[in-house]
Amino acid sequence: MSSGATAKADFKPALWTPGDWNAFFGFGTNILVNMLVLTGLLRFVLKMPDSLVFGRILPALGLMMCLSTFYYAFLAYRLAQRTGRTDVCALPSGVSVPHMFIVTFVIMLPVTLKTGDPMKGWSAGLVWVFFQSFILMIGGFIAPFIRKITPRAALLGTLAGVSLTFIAMRPALEMYMTPQIGVICFAVILVSWFGGVKYPRGIPAGLIAIVVGMIIAWDSTLLGLGVGGLTVKGVGDAFANFGFSVPIPAANYVFSGFEYLGVILVTAIPFGIYDLVEAMDNVESAEAAGDEYPTTRVLTADGIISLIGCLMGNPFINAVYIGHPGWKAMGGRIGYSAATGIMVIVLSMLGIISVLLALVPVVAISPILLYIGMLMTAQAFQTTPPKHAPAIALAFTPHLAAWAKLQIDTMLGSTMTAATTIGGLTADKAAAVKAAAIAALPQQGVLYRGLEVMGGGSILAGLVLGAVGVFVIERDFVKASAFALSGAVMTFFGFMHGESVGINVTPAVALAYAVVAAALFALSKLGASEHYVAHPDMPLAAPAE
């Protein structure tokens, strides 16, 4: 026994194996695509200046991801040393892709549009990550309880609602604005990621799609058609961002963003819960593949690393990725994780991402975003009982309302700007004209006030509605009543169905939830579910009689 322990203590795991090359090219490409998408969101959706994107945000992002990949390589090394095994694979990690879109479209974009200042949007994103980081750090102690009381269909249903609206819709529209690239690149992805088609030498479909988009765009440029909007001048200008930028502390921007705390907490809490569940699931997946990592240390590391990145100016959170068994089967061990970290910090601190964006048409990346939205929406239905499908659909509705309201608000804002700059409308009359336009919308069949109320705090609203729906389907009226009551409380304080946090924000809706909670509780006491037997395999919702 003692000699075996000594042997393991003396065992020195290999830092690099031949299989690490396969995993590095596969995982490194995945990370590169995510970085291109992220940079595109910052520059073209949020309209942030290049000095901020390449001088502040990307260096901080590179630092965060380097710390993350090195830490998980270290954990893998320790596990291999402790067990004496040569097949231990490091956990893959990087920017949380779902949260990358959520913090962009749900936090930073609305604040940027409202204030007209991308710096304000950046500050709001930093505060969002600040709170998410602490939720992750303490989450190891409360995650099991959250998972126990919240139906999976409710949690995934509200995330699917965000995915369908704020993640999938814009890329889909962009694809059809430039179908010569967008639709073709989407087909490249579709046949591989959904159809299972393998490309030569195992080249990732995302990379193939980007290359195809580049070929079409640059051929179009050479022919003078301009499809994709790429120019030689743009590539030349991109080299202006070359240089060496190091992360600079941004604590002052973090704390200045606390003015948006009400809006931020509405999403930070439920998505923090999602982070906990996702991290736990991924650690369990790694354990099933033979590598047992401590859940608490993983959650704490994600939180601490995300906090460091946030304080240095990165508005995106770190997460353990899905896919550990795949990278392990590919031959990945310890080195691929650390090598990816080195790649990321070089790309981000030297400004190379700017040149890559000048070479790659944004619309070639759009199909990847649509795929993410499709996958997250499909997951809600595929990983929950079929009979919970109506509850998932119910969880979508607040997000549909929020997305529709955002489109109307953006259109009205653009119209008012045009009216003041071109039409000569004075600023003092612009607000009155906008109010009159909103008041006239119901006459055209657009219920703006309904969109405003239903879509306020859509993340929590979808979660509560989905949970009530699940428990009603299961005829567990006590739990349905509890979630309805929580909805009444959160609505009263503006976390749901309100534009800001306060007291008695939307009293009519809060009262309605309270009445529903009382009615559901009364049903439980009247024995409405006394003779009920659940049928988990029931595939369809029964029609009304």
Side-chain angles (χ1 to χ4, degrees), residues 15 20 61 106 154 161 170 224 308 328 383 401 406 435 474 484 519 523 527:
L15 296 178
D20 278 312
L61 173 79
V106 180
R170 183 185 178 97
I308 293 172
K328 183 171 183 174
T383 61
L406 178 62
E474 296 292 348
L523 278 176

Side-chain angles (χ1 to χ4, degrees), residues 101 159-160 162-165 167-169 171-172 175 186 189-191 193-194 366-382 396:
F101 301 116
L159 294 175
V162 176
S163 304
L164 188 65
T165 52
I167 294 178
M169 281 302 296
M175 282 168 45
F186 181 60
I189 287 173
L190 194 67
V191 298
W193 289 348
F194 283 128
S366 295
I368 299 174
L369 312 188
L370 177 57
Y371 167 79
I372 295 294
M374 293 167 61
L375 193 67
M376 291 179 66
T377 303
Q379 183 190 49
F381 292 99
Q382 292 171 344
F396 283 9

Side-chain angles (χ1 to χ4, degrees), residues 417-440:
T417 300
T420 54
T421 56
I422 299 175
L425 183 67
T426 58
D428 59 331
K429 292 183 178 180
V433 172
K434 182 177 179 180
I438 291 174

Side-chain angles (χ1 to χ4, degrees), residues 25 29 32-33 188-189 193 203-213 368:
F25 283 116
T29 301
L32 176 60
V33 169
V188 171
I189 287 173
W193 289 348
I203 300 176
L207 182 58
I208 294 285
I210 289 174
V211 171
V212 168
I368 299 174

Side-chain angles (χ1 to χ4, degrees), residues 49-62:
D50 286 350
S51 59
L52 175 61
V53 174
F54 298 105
R56 299 294 300 270
I57 295 177
L58 287 183
L61 173 79

